[in-house]
Amino acid sequence: MRMYDIIEKKRYGKELEAEEINFFINGYCSDNIPDYQASALLMAIFLKEMNERETSLLTEAMAKSGDMVDLSEIEGFKVDKHSTGGVGDKTTLIIGPICAACGIPVAKMSGRGLGHTGGTIDKLESIPGFKTDISNKEFIDNVREIGVSVVGQTGNLAPADKKLYALRDVTATVDNISLIASSIMSKKIASGADGIVLDVKTGSGAFMKTVEKSKKLAELMVKTGNKIGRKTVAIVTDMDVPLGNAIGNSLEVIEAIEVLKGKGPEDLKELSFELAAKMLEVSGLGHRELCIKKVEDAVNNGKALLKFRNMVERQGGNAMVIDQYNLFESSPFIYQYKSKRGGYIKDMRTDALGAASMVLGAGRQTKESTIDYSAGILLNKKKGMKVERDEVIATLYSSDMKKIKEAEDIINKNITFSAYPVQKRPLILAQVN
């Protein structure tokens, strides 16, 4: 078998066979296929596209290119949740403990943030002492004994995806639905869960900007997961507005804790409860209405918060932060961003708010960047809300006043007002089963 023939076949838009896809993935991972030939195939796929069968074959080959996590020691139906990335998305911190409280084990591997999107691991590491790099035995034992554990992704999980993504990034082949779907799903398949719930974001703060494209991606990922033997469902959710009011690591953890205490912003509660109910439903615990009731009960009776406390303690964190928020790192500089005029907030671009938070120190521009866990933005007002002149729209936190000025400039360029009420779209835009 020759790589030249595979490239030529896809260049003419023909369907690739399993043997050809496996030859490509295995050869590229073992450095037997050079970057220039891999780039040529990626461009052919980008231009001629892959069908559903090819996408599932590519996903499976990428998943098997490295470690396949074995969760068989954990009893019960294991369900994973994945978000395609957004601003203020801290749902994992909420749904993991909720599901554990409902008897559904959650063994989750999460990533770090990069660019304007936040990462679950960074958020958890803002808790003093919390460890996300525990051994596999500790990870499994924690899930078996308390029902939930969230750790960083292993270095050898779907290595084909890491190599291919780096190549796609420099060859203008990122924005292809089959390549995006296989990139996401290969890591989820390799993570070992029996079921997968996908939260596909759409809007200015998401990678997919339109509902149509986001729904198409959700449908392909659901079909791919089901073909490979994982029970998979998805919802498409709005990311034209940040989720919740907090953007930044410790700020988001505090907000997640508030939801587990039965408080917190309504949009964050709505999406977290819906995702948790989906996970229960996929696990076979009943229809949606019953699962929503179980989720609400787990929060109202305090069992979900207890599971969060258990997880923090088991992974070395100081669980006293749950009741004493002042134990988190604090920012020396706090600035109130005030409205320049009265009216309604017509738009406040979500990606710009993410970028502003990153500038404040809450995110990283490169993988080597250092995180300031206390930095971030607390939104006092959001898109569609009425404001008066000089009313506080957002509170900015940072260790550097120069960074606050830079973040303020970003917000100034990306906020617009209207004299009339602004229509907001629903948080949950589509369901894909």
Side-chain angles (χ1 to χ4, degrees), residues 22 56 60 70 95 103 107 148 165 169 178 184-185 192 195 199 219 276 293 303 312 341 370 375 412 424:
N22 288 330
S56 65
E60 193 164 14
D70 182 6
I95 65 178
V148 60
Y165 191 88
D169 197 33
S178 289
I184 293 170
M185 293 303 292
D199 178 8
E219 289 170 347
K293 178 68 165 54
K303 290 182 179 178
V312 171
R341 52 164 288 186
T370 301
N412 281 337
K424 282 178 61 182

Side-chain angles (χ1 to χ4, degrees), residues 227-428:
K227 278 187 179 180
I228 298 175
R230 305 295 196 274
K231 192 173 180 181
T232 308
V233 299
I235 57 175
V236 177
T237 64
D238 180 45
M239 193 38 74
D240 265 343
V241 181
L243 188 60
N245 300 327
I247 307 169
N249 300 290
S250 62
L251 294 174
E252 292 191 45
V253 174
I254 291 169
E255 192 167 76
I257 293 170
E258 284 292 291
V259 172
L260 290 171
K261 289 178 178 179
K263 307 172 188 176
E266 286 304 315
D267 60 340
L268 179 58
K269 286 171 64 177
E270 178 187 352
L271 182 55
S272 298
F273 286 17
E274 184 67 32
L275 288 169
K278 283 282 184 195
M279 293 173 77
L280 300 189
E281 196 175 351
V282 165
S283 303
L285 288 196
H287 54 78
R288 180 187 174 278
E289 290 72 22
L290 177 61
C291 291
I292 285 285
K293 178 68 165 54
K294 289 178 181 290
V295 167
E296 291 172 345
D297 288 346
V299 171
N300 292 337
N301 63 26
K303 290 182 179 178
L305 182 63
L306 178 59
K307 289 294 182 183
F308 183 83
R309 187 184 299 273
N310 293 157
M311 181 178 72
V312 171
E313 290 172 343
R314 290 293 292 258
Q315 294 187 223
N318 182 359
M320 292 177 68
V321 298
I322 294 171
D323 303 304
Q324 301 177 49
Y325 297 150
N326 62 343
L327 295 176
F328 284 100
E329 287 183 21
S330 60
S331 291
F333 298 103
I334 300 173
Y335 175 78
Q336 292 185 326
Y337 177 88
K338 297 179 180 180
S339 179
K340 306 296 187 293
R341 52 164 288 186
Y344 296 86
I345 299 176
K346 183 178 180 181
D347 194 16
M348 190 160 46
R349 284 190 62 89
T350 305
D351 52 355
L353 288 170
S357 179
M358 179 179 69
V359 164
L360 290 168
R364 49 172 64 84
Q365 299 186 48
T366 69
K367 290 183 179 179
E368 291 73 34
S369 300
T370 301
I371 292 281
D372 176 0
Y373 293 122
S374 67
I377 301 171
L378 198 58
L379 295 171
N380 302 77
K381 297 285 185 175
K382 295 171 74 171
K383 180 178 177 178
M385 291 185 176
K386 187 176 182 180
V387 294
E388 303 295 335
R389 184 182 177 87
D390 291 328
E391 187 173 4
V392 177
I393 291 177
T395 307
L396 313 185
Y397 299 82
S398 184
S399 59
D400 188 338
M401 275 304 297
K402 290 181 181 178
K403 292 180 178 179
I404 286 178
K405 181 64 174 68
E406 188 177 345
E408 182 183 22
D409 289 342
I410 292 172
I411 299 173
N412 281 337
K413 293 173 184 175
N414 290 278
I415 185 170
T416 56
F417 297 87
S418 169
Y420 307 100
V422 177
Q423 186 70 34
K424 282 178 61 182
R425 64 183 180 182
L427 177 59
I428 299 171

